[in-house]
Amino acid sequence: MNQALYGATVKTLTVQDMTAMKQRGEKITCLTAYDASFSALCDAIGIDILLVGDSLGMVIQGQQTTLPVTVNDMVYHTRCVSQARRRAFIIADLPFMSYPNALCAAQNAARLMQESGAQMVKLEGARLETTRFLVDQGIPVCGHLGLLPQQINQLGTYKVQGKTTADADKILENAHQLQQAGASLLVLECVPAALAKTISDELTIPVIGIGAGIDCDGQVLVLYDMLGISIGKSPRFSKNFMLETNSISDAIAAYQLAVKQRQFPTSEHSF
Ligand code: KIV
């Protein structure tokens, strides 16, 4: 792990550290990051996971959706993030159509790990066969269920998922299947808090929520949303931490503390 920027040796978190945090009931903090400066800042504040999300298509590139993001974009931004962090665990998104089959997924995931320093890749949806294949190759996988932004053209709008019993049961079943297939982490986006609680309680792998209520094992927000600088309207589940603080580093520290102390999200940010 690259620690040369700072000299002192700091242990980089592993997937086992995330599982241990779940087991001892310590909330896991995660923010998206896309560049070296924010990576170093979030890392120094103690954010546990830096997610190089394909949300960069919207907040960095100004695209309408995450769909135009390429593997090359992800490789570039993940490298920027990984070069500047010491402790935080790094997850990189596999972007739209970079995992149409297991082999393709493995080849693109390998680029994110070998060229950019990602420790895990995240895939949207219940990609069970692909998850099994990646895990067999030694590639740790983070699942992503609930609202799947890469399916926006099928969904029509970014809305809460799992509201009907049938939809909730499907998400719960998929969560178990992903764990069974070897995923070591799960992101749950925009689902009712009660469903997220059931999934977090039943799964042994850590569940990181975004718009999924307080009972997940950890929380993730899009960095630019929580700093209040995203283009357009921020989602209801996010919170602008800059409104209560005087600097970017104080806002990130306030988020870190609020998640660790179970003060974020509140019912106002949940469904
Ligand atoms: O791309 C991203 O930022 C994400 C989070 C919203 C979880 O996947």
Side-chain angles (χ1 to χ4, degrees), residues 32 34 51 53-55 93 122 144 187 189 210 220 222:
T32 65
Y34 318 103
L51 168 65
D54 59 0
S55 52
D93 269 346
K122 178 162 78 60
H144 183 155
V187 164
E189 180 166 356
I210 174 162
V220 55
V222 171

Side-chain angles (χ1 to χ4, degrees), residues 2 71-83 90 92 106-119 121:
N2 190 340
V71 174
N72 281 345
D73 293 335
M74 293 306 303
V75 166
Y76 172 80
H77 286 281
T78 305
R79 191 186 303 127
C80 294
V81 169
S82 71
Q83 276 171 350
I90 295 189
Q107 285 164 340
N108 287 320
R111 286 197 62 199
L112 288 165
M113 296 178 82
Q114 293 182 309
E115 297 176 37
S116 312
Q119 291 165 277
V121 294

Side-chain angles (χ1 to χ4, degrees), residues 124-266:
E124 293 188 10
R127 305 298 181 105
L128 305 181
E129 194 191 322
T130 298
T131 298
R132 270 190 289 270
F133 187 76
L134 291 178
V135 173
D136 279 350
Q137 311 306 312
I139 300 171
V141 171
C142 177
H144 183 155
L145 295 175
L147 177 61
L148 307 178
Q150 290 176 12
Q151 295 185 6
I152 186 61
N153 288 323
Q154 284 168 326
L155 293 170
T157 55
Y158 297 103
K159 56 178 181 262
V160 185
Q161 304 293 307
K163 278 169 64 172
T164 66
T165 307
D167 287 351
D169 287 348
K170 189 74 198 158
I171 294 173
L172 177 61
E173 184 192 6
N174 286 165
H176 279 281
Q177 288 170 327
L178 278 170
Q179 174 172 276
Q180 187 65 33
S184 348
L185 221 63
L186 176 67
V187 164
L188 269 186
E189 180 166 356
C190 243
V191 299
L195 171 62
K197 175 172 172 27
T198 304
I199 294 173
S200 307
D201 288 348
E202 291 189 10
L203 263 50
T204 55
I205 60 171
V207 176
I208 312 294
I210 174 162
I214 186 72
D215 291 307
C216 295
D217 303 306
Q219 300 291 331
V220 55
L221 284 180
V222 171
L223 178 65
Y224 288 20
D225 287 347
M226 59 80 71
L227 295 177
I229 55 169
S230 292
I231 303 162
K233 196 168 164 274
S234 242
R236 173 186 142 186
F237 56 73
S238 197
K239 174 177 168 179
N240 180 353
F241 283 82
M242 282 295 281
L243 294 177
E244 297 166 6
T245 48
N246 291 319
S247 68
I248 288 174
S249 56
D250 283 356
I252 296 170
Y255 167 74
Q256 161 84 359
L257 194 65
V259 174
K260 291 279 180 194
Q261 295 190 337
R262 298 156 195 260
Q263 288 164 355
F264 178 83
T266 62

